[in-house]
Amino acid sequence: MTLLEGSIGVEDLVLLEPLEEESMLKNLQLRYESKEIYTYIGNVLVSVNPYQQLPIYGPEFITKYQECTFYELKPHIYALANVAYQSLKFRDRDQCILITGESGAGKTEASKLVMSYVAAVCGKGEQVNSVKEQLLQSNPVLEAFGNAKTIRNNNSSRFGKYMDIEFDFKGSPLGGVITNYLLEKSRVVKQLKGERNFHIFYQLLAGADAQLLTALKLERDIGGYAYLNREVSRVDGMDDASNFKSVQSAMTVIGFSEEEIRWVLEVTALVLKLGNVKLSDEFQANGIPASGISDTRGVREIGELMGLDSKELERALCSRTMATAKEKVVTALNVVQAQYARDALAKNIYSRLFNWIVNRINESIKVGTGEKKKVMGVLDIYGFEILEDNSFEQFVINYCNEKLQQVFIELTLKEEQEEYKREGIPWKKVDYFDNGIICNLIEHNQRGILAMLDEECLRPGVVSDSTFLAKLNQLFSKHSHYESKVTQNAQRQYDHTMGLNCFRICHYAGKVTYNVNSFIDKNNDLLFRDLSQAMWKAKHPLLRSLFPEGDPKQASLKRPPTAGAQFKSSVAILMKNLYAKNPNYIRCIKPNEHQQRGHFSRELVATQARYLGLLENVRVRRAGYAFRQGYRPFLERYRLLSRSTWPRWNGGDREGVEKILGELSACTSEEVTFGKTKIFIKSPKTLFYLEEQRRLRIQQLATLIQKIYRGWRCRTHYQQMRKSQILISSWFRGNMQKKRYGKMKASVLLIQAFVRGWKARKDYRKYFRSGAALTLSSFIYKSLAQKFLLGLKNNLPSTSILDKKWPAAPYKCFTTANQELQRLYHQWKCKKFRDQLSPKQVEVLREKLCASELFKGKKAAYPPSVPVPFHGDYIGLRGNPKLQKLTGGEEGPVLMAETVRKVNRGNGKTSSRILLLTKGHVILTDSKKTQAKTVIGLESVAGVSVTSFQDGLFCLHLSEISSVGSKGDFLLVSEHVVELLTKMYRAVLDTTQRQLPITVAEQFSVKFKESNVTVKVTQGPRGNGNGKLSCKKKGSHGLEVTV
């Protein structure tokens, strides 16, 4: 038992001293601030919402509480769920867990934790796991369609839920049944400031893909829907898009078909689109106000979505048919009435859709009728409510809580009485407040408030909320728990808080003032028959099934039951169900209004404690005996208080307990009673006295144990030290001797080796050859060289002169030889390649080699000329006999014949010339004439200047002593300048045995007659040298050429 030892505050309020509201609140606050959110009142669990995730849940804690009894560990919701499940499984007692509290107190989370615990501890198997998954997945679906954000809670359940989970004889779940109570359907059409509509509307708009939204004729913008609060479209910590996917997945797991899911979403979209139907004022021919639809697009889209005739829907929204036994009268509705009809239709569609979803879930999780089963019920229902303006909804909610309080008191006292009877203890009558008089005031069949409300709704004539209030004032004027302005005036009492349209009931949790406005309308909950018939005519299967009364064959003039009568009947069935089961209670408390972690508002908690009747619960529990426990655990805990029972007791458990209490003076016969299996203690003070004595005794025993333990530890330590010292000494001495022997042995062997070596060298010195090392090294080197050369022979590369591969030398000593062999092999390949060439091919290669030596890396025109063969004749010399005569014939063949352009010395213009290169002369002639204009001997050519660009400009520098040179140098442009100058260079070399100087520069000097001109060559914008050459005079001594 850990209720007192090391606990924070008092873990069970039954043991609270003094028993006052202030001390109870202080205890709850102390535990809450220490993150201890659970507290017991006997077997009742009080849970304070922490507004944060605490590390006290999960498989580890489930296992811990599964293996312990109720009071063995700290208070926890798992402990209560475990007691309920174990009682159901092993004692065959049907259980119910009643979870009550205000909105935002954590009721929904508590029900989830109970269901997750039961799912974790019950049996395994494929079928069992499937049932458990279906039961757990019903939560997200019901939360989406039944929960909404309110001012007090971001995920508030706006309906009451009772789930019966059914188990087989082994404790494995078979299925279940869900019953829902009083869905807050008024939220569909109107929400308070700062609140949202039901989650599913926002999840649908945020999570549906574009294709689905188009099919549902919806738009993603929340601001476009009248039924949705535009100010609060999102909730912190809630992802609507992700939740929509989860809801779809959960519906699939439960067993909804894809078609059924689509039907549900279509009906949900219908509710949204109804809110956008705009109604406007119209007048009939006789001047009577009527109404009409200003924008028919919304009605038309609804008709397309649901398979409805838009005209039929418009008629049903804007008129009403009154049917009697003889005739039917059609009455036009004004705008206010038509808006009421539209909103009533939207509320009814959504409410009936929610009921259909619950019934569909029940179909999936129901159990066959032939199976014997045990039942655990979980009731998650709204707590007692006192608002600033309390209406019909608060009235029926508080009525339900009155009935639950009545059940709690009766079942608790009944349980106490049965336990006393089992233990053979006389039962004494307990004084407590019996709220039966309040329940009777509300639910009496003839004279109850609900009966009067139904009577007023059914009464012919003028009926209003005021006439209903007047009837209540007349009937209950002398009732002790009923007040109104009329009854207060009769008793000469003045209360400014009481309105003229209000009445007040003194509930068990306090006085609540109800405003009767709309009581009649909300109780009637009427839907015009025209709208029911219009919905039944729809081709949509689900929508049609929601309105069976619209079928003309089933039309009835009988008035449907009122909302109050339906709720009263549901509560009666619920009470009957609860009386048949063993109850377990979870009281949920909201610590503050702002959902802040760690903040505890005493005023708010005190109000909820009164609503929940926590002090009343404690008083009922303490009416007889505050504490009771079995003899065995009591003896195990307190046997150390008596020398007779400590350290060992061989007698019976009861005798041992009597021995213990007999030796303690404070445990008198008035405080302690012995039952058949349990010890009963009347006052918490006696239990605290036992705990204090136990604490002191534990200190004494701890001191004794410490003394004995320290002595034993010192003796044991000394003996271990002594043994260790002896062992270490023996090992140390042995190790030292081994090391010494090893050193001696090594020394002897070394001396022996030296002596043997000296003897061997002395005996065999005359047979030792001094040149053996050189011979061996020479032999090894030759072997390596032979191996290297033979390997190179087998791995020679191909004979292609372009193949540069060569095997690497295996040793560094062969690197130089390997390089020389590679060079020789390459020269051999080149020679072999040259031997295969014809004399003409050899001459061509020599010309190319000469061009490379002259221009490679110097002139940009060289690289493009490398792959182009040198032709020599570019003007068709062989076919032109006139030009052949110019060469004279004795100088051999023409080496080069092409058309060049000569730059004029005076104006820089160019003129076309034919250039012929022979072995002795350079001949320039007019392209139109056939006689030589200029003949230059090769011995007169002093040099050549070219640019580094890709142009064909070059200058022939002539020696001054020649006859032609007196006229000056020639500035020419050739398209084959590389080939021309290469052939000219070779011809000069062959003729004059001298090398022709070829200068590559962008600026050079040219002699024109008697003066020198500096030619400066620049590259134009095109920069490729193939463009038009332009010359420009720069004074008398400058010429700028742009190429």
Side-chain angles (χ1 to χ4, degrees), residues 929-982:
K929 299 177 181 180
T930 57
Q931 73 181 68
K933 194 169 186 178
T934 304
V935 179
I936 304 169
L938 292 182
E939 66 278 2
S940 301
V941 179
V944 179
S945 294
V946 294
T947 70
S948 62
F949 302 130
Q950 204 170 351
D951 60 294
L953 180 69
F954 68 97
C955 178
L956 281 180
H957 299 287
L958 304 179
S959 59
E960 296 180 0
I961 59 173
S962 65
S963 60
V964 180
S966 61
K967 297 180 181 180
D969 299 335
F970 287 88
L971 196 59
L972 304 173
V973 180
S974 170
E975 293 182 0
H976 307 88
V977 66
V978 173
E979 181 181 358
L980 174 61
L981 296 183
T982 301

Side-chain angles (χ1 to χ4, degrees), residues 378-598:
V378 179
L379 178 65
D380 174 7
I381 201 163
Y382 11 67
F384 197 87
E385 288 190 353
I386 302 180
L387 307 178
E388 292 182 6
D389 185 17
N390 301 288
S391 187
F392 179 75
E393 291 85 1
Q394 283 70 46
F395 176 73
V396 293
I397 286 172
N398 293 343
Y399 159 61
C400 180
N401 278 272
E402 284 286 356
K403 296 295 290 181
L404 291 175
Q405 178 70 5
Q406 189 180 32
V407 171
F408 171 74
I409 293 173
E410 291 181 5
L411 292 181
T412 301
L413 291 177
K414 182 181 177 182
E415 185 182 358
E416 289 280 301
Q417 190 174 0
E418 288 179 353
E419 185 173 23
Y420 282 29
K421 186 177 179 180
R422 285 196 307 268
E423 295 295 326
I425 297 174
W427 172 257
K428 297 178 182 179
K429 186 177 180 181
V430 176
D431 294 328
Y432 65 94
F433 171 66
D434 185 2
N435 67 338
I437 187 172
I438 304 174
C439 297
N440 198 44
L441 169 67
I442 299 172
E443 68 180 1
H444 193 277
N445 290 333
Q446 284 80 34
R447 299 176 57 84
I449 294 176
L450 288 175
M452 293 300 101
L453 183 58
D454 287 349
E455 182 180 314
E456 196 67 13
C457 291
L458 299 173
R459 182 174 65 82
V462 179
V463 177
S464 67
D465 298 318
S466 300
T467 60
F468 165 62
L469 180 59
K471 181 172 286 190
L472 294 184
N473 291 334
Q474 181 184 355
L475 190 61
F476 303 118
S477 59
K478 295 182 179 181
H479 198 289
S480 59
H481 290 80
Y482 176 87
E483 295 179 12
S484 70
K485 200 71 175 178
V486 173
T487 61
Q488 287 180 348
N489 291 339
Q491 298 173 8
R492 299 182 183 279
Q493 297 177 357
Y494 175 73
D495 184 1
H496 68 279
T497 61
M498 178 72 75
L500 291 174
N501 294 328
C502 299
F503 68 91
R504 182 179 294 156
I505 295 179
C506 299
H507 289 282
Y508 77 93
K511 295 182 178 181
V512 184
T513 302
Y514 300 101
N515 191 329
V516 296
N517 289 338
S518 302
F519 259 58
I520 298 294
D521 289 340
K522 291 178 179 178
N523 188 50
N524 276 326
D525 195 22
L526 290 178
L527 180 68
F528 297 151
R529 186 176 290 109
D530 301 70
L531 293 170
S532 297
Q533 292 175 351
M535 294 300 103
W536 185 82
K537 290 178 182 177
K539 296 179 182 179
H540 194 276
L542 176 56
L543 182 63
R544 182 186 177 95
S545 68
L546 296 180
F547 292 88
E549 75 275 12
D551 186 355
K553 296 179 182 179
Q554 299 181 11
S556 172
L557 298 179
K558 184 179 178 181
R559 191 182 184 91
T562 62
Q566 293 180 36
F567 188 75
K568 178 183 173 183
S569 175
S570 299
V571 169
I573 296 172
L574 175 63
M575 295 303 115
K576 182 179 178 181
N577 204 344
L578 296 181
Y579 276 118
K581 295 180 174 63
N582 181 54
N584 303 272
Y585 300 93
I586 301 176
R587 306 296 201 193
C588 297
I589 292 178
K590 178 169 60 176
N592 60 77
E593 289 283 9
H594 308 292
Q595 304 179 26
Q596 294 179 352
R597 62 179 69 178

Side-chain angles (χ1 to χ4, degrees), residues 700-984:
Q700 295 174 0
L701 293 175
T703 304
L704 177 63
I705 292 170
Q706 286 177 351
K707 181 184 71 172
I708 295 174
Y709 172 74
R710 286 174 182 150
W712 169 83
R713 190 177 65 177
C714 289
R715 286 193 300 274
T716 305
H717 182 66
Y718 167 74
Q719 290 172 356
Q720 287 180 344
M721 291 281 287
R722 185 169 181 274
K723 290 179 180 178
S724 300
Q725 190 273 332
I726 294 172
L727 183 63
I728 291 170
S729 298
S730 63
W731 276 92
F732 179 77
R733 286 193 293 269
N735 188 52
M736 288 293 293
Q737 291 300 324
K738 287 179 182 178
K739 286 185 177 180
R740 184 181 178 191
Y741 168 75
K743 287 182 179 180
M744 291 176 65
K745 183 178 179 181
S747 301
V748 169
L749 291 175
L750 183 62
I751 293 170
Q752 288 177 349
F754 270 101
V755 170
R756 291 193 186 102
W758 174 76
K759 284 186 176 181
R761 286 191 296 276
K762 181 180 178 182
D763 293 339
Y764 297 99
R765 190 178 299 275
K766 55 185 176 181
Y767 303 109
F768 189 74
R769 290 167 47 184
S770 59
L774 294 175
T775 304
L776 287 172
S777 63
S778 175
F779 174 78
I780 292 171
Y781 182 78
K782 289 178 180 179
S783 299
L784 291 175
Q786 183 182 14
K787 184 178 179 181
F788 164 61
L789 293 174
L790 290 175
L792 187 61
K793 172 188 174 184
N794 298 326
N795 294 314
L796 285 175
S798 66
T799 57
S800 172
I801 59 173
L802 300 177
D803 188 1
K804 301 295 178 104
K805 295 180 182 178
W806 187 258
Y811 303 103
K812 287 185 179 181
C813 58
F814 296 140
T815 301
T816 305
N818 192 48
Q819 293 174 352
E820 185 64 19
L821 288 171
Q822 182 181 2
R823 185 183 66 79
L824 292 173
Y825 184 73
H826 181 70
Q827 289 180 351
W828 173 80
K829 287 195 296 184
C830 293
K831 181 180 182 304
K832 188 174 181 181
F833 176 75
R834 287 196 302 271
D835 293 343
Q836 295 174 355
L837 297 176
S838 63
K840 187 176 181 180
Q841 289 176 325
V842 172
E843 187 63 26
V844 170
L845 286 178
R846 284 176 178 169
E847 288 181 350
K848 287 289 183 179
L849 177 62
C850 181
S852 173
E853 292 173 350
L854 293 174
F855 300 109
K856 183 177 181 180
K858 299 177 183 178
K859 185 166 180 62
Y862 170 73
S865 70
V866 172
V868 180
F870 290 167
H871 293 294
D873 184 6
Y874 292 98
I875 60 174
L877 183 64
R878 294 181 181 177
N880 196 336
K882 294 181 179 180
L883 292 176
Q884 290 179 2
K885 293 179 180 179
L886 296 176
T887 61
E890 65 279 359
E891 296 185 4
V894 176
L895 301 177
M896 185 74 179
E898 72 160 331
T899 301
V900 297
R901 287 176 291 160
K902 177 178 176 294
V903 180
N904 192 285
R905 296 184 177 102
N907 54 18
K909 293 183 179 181
T910 60
S911 57
S912 179
R913 296 283 188 274
I914 293 176
L915 184 147
L916 301 177
L917 174 65
T918 65
K919 290 186 177 181
H921 296 86
V922 176
I923 303 171
L924 288 173
T925 181
D926 197 332
S927 59
K928 298 179 182 179
K929 299 177 181 180
T930 57
Q931 73 181 68
K933 194 169 186 178
T934 304
V935 179
I936 304 169
L938 292 182
E939 66 278 2
S940 301
V941 179
V944 179
S945 294
V946 294
T947 70
S948 62
F949 302 130
Q950 204 170 351
D951 60 294
L953 180 69
F954 68 97
C955 178
L956 281 180
H957 299 287
L958 304 179
S959 59
E960 296 180 0
I961 59 173
S962 65
S963 60
V964 180
S966 61
K967 297 180 181 180
D969 299 335
F970 287 88
L971 196 59
L972 304 173
V973 180
S974 170
E975 293 182 0
H976 307 88
V977 66
V978 173
E979 181 181 358
L980 174 61
L981 296 183
T982 301
K983 290 180 178 293
M984 187 181 296

Side-chain angles (χ1 to χ4, degrees), residues 659-690:
K659 277 280 186 184
I660 295 169
L661 297 179
E663 295 180 11
L664 298 173
S665 58
C667 300
T668 61
S669 58
E670 291 81 9
E671 284 290 323
V672 177
T673 300
F674 295 93
K676 293 180 180 179
T677 62
K678 292 182 180 179
I679 174 73
F680 289 79
I681 298 176
K682 194 172 189 65
S683 171
K685 292 181 180 179
T686 304
L687 183 64
F688 294 152
Y689 170 75
L690 288 172

